[in-house]
Amino acid sequence: MVEITGTVMNYFFHCHRQCWLFYNRINLEDNSEDVHIGKILHEIKSKGKNTEIVVDSVKLDKITDEYVIELKKSDADLEAAKMQLAYYLFILSRKGIDRVGKLQVIEKNKQEKTIHIVILNDEMIQKIEKVLSEIKLLLTKENPPEPVVKKGCKKCAYYEYCFL
Ligand code: SF4
């Protein structure tokens, strides 16, 4: 069974090759400064009182009576981050837990954070269902798609693997 995590959903929107490589455990992520910063942010969060909550294949940063809150270090790929959060709302909704998504972006070297609200409406549910089928098709392919240069490649953990 293909297990689709929040990261898999996020990567699918950023780059299909990245999604495939990550899912198939081609793990080069330790070399990436961006991923390193993400892990530090994650550790800071984990040391606070809001520890991660695991629901099926996804890990939530924080859930309140009203919101599921997801923290990101960059708004470089906002659509991917929003879809990751929408997917969390989708998983929770199937369990009868309805929440609004709140995406908090804390940029490196910046004090302020920006907040984006994500709503799981019928249109979003249909989109997620369609995307889940597409992800399953992609991940069961024998080989990854060929690399295509895009914004964010230089910060991607697979950059050297793809282009050098
Ligand atoms: S370097 Fe670019 S093409 Fe390669 S996996 Fe990362 S985002 Fe995709």
Side-chain angles (χ1 to χ4, degrees), residues 3-79:
E3 188 185 54
I4 298 174
T5 63
T7 305
V8 168
M9 175 64 75
N10 185 306
Y11 285 179
F12 181 79
F13 277 88
H14 183 246
C15 168
H16 288 190
R17 179 175 168 87
Q18 184 186 29
C19 183
W20 190 99
L21 292 172
F22 176 79
Y23 181 79
N24 287 285
R25 309 279 193 275
I26 308 226
N27 195 354
L28 305 172
E29 299 221 323
D30 285 345
N31 294 332
S32 160
E33 191 205 349
D34 226 37
V35 171
H36 185 59
I37 292 163
K39 282 187 178 152
I40 291 169
L41 264 181
H42 184 262
E43 278 169 22
I44 291 168
K45 280 185 291 171
S46 301
K47 281 180 186 150
K49 55 186 175 185
N50 303 312
T51 47
E52 275 180 349
I53 300 138
V54 178
V55 183
D56 290 348
S57 58
V58 301
K59 290 179 188 163
L60 312 177
D61 283 345
K62 185 179 174 188
I63 183 165
T64 68
D65 288 347
E66 208 175 338
Y67 296 106
V68 172
I69 299 166
E70 177 73 5
L71 188 63
K72 292 284 181 200
K73 63 186 172 353
S74 157
D75 64 357
D77 198 335
L78 208 48
E79 195 205 357

Side-chain angles (χ1 to χ4, degrees), residues 110-122:
K110 287 189 190 168
Q111 294 301 317
E112 72 274 20
K113 55 188 170 193
T114 51
I115 292 177
H116 305 268
I117 296 297
V118 176
I119 309 272
L120 185 74
N121 53 22
D122 289 347

Side-chain angles (χ1 to χ4, degrees), residues 66-156:
E66 208 175 338
Y67 296 106
V68 172
I69 299 166
E70 177 73 5
L71 188 63
K72 292 284 181 200
K73 63 186 172 353
S74 157
D75 64 357
D77 198 335
L78 208 48
E79 195 205 357
K82 284 182 177 175
M83 286 309 299
Q84 180 177 353
L85 182 51
Y87 179 50
Y88 294 165
L89 301 177
F90 175 84
I91 297 269
L92 286 175
S93 167
R94 287 194 312 191
K95 296 188 173 300
I97 303 166
D98 294 312
R99 293 289 187 277
V100 170
K102 191 188 271 189
L103 178 66
Q104 297 186 343
V105 182
I106 304 173
E107 296 264 8
K108 211 180 359 165
N109 304 328
K110 287 189 190 168
Q111 294 301 317
E112 72 274 20
K113 55 188 170 193
T114 51
I115 292 177
H116 305 268
I117 296 297
V118 176
I119 309 272
L120 185 74
N121 53 22
D122 289 347
E123 194 185 334
M124 183 62 90
I125 290 171
Q126 280 175 15
K127 183 171 177 178
I128 291 173
E129 285 171 343
K130 181 168 173 284
V131 165
L132 287 174
S133 307
E134 290 170 7
I135 292 177
K136 283 175 191 157
L137 259 181
L138 168 71
L139 297 181
T140 48
K141 286 191 175 156
E142 205 169 315
N143 295 303
E146 289 300 309
V148 178
V149 182
K150 58 181 69 59
K151 196 177 149 211
C153 275
K154 284 198 173 164
K155 286 188 170 179
C156 173

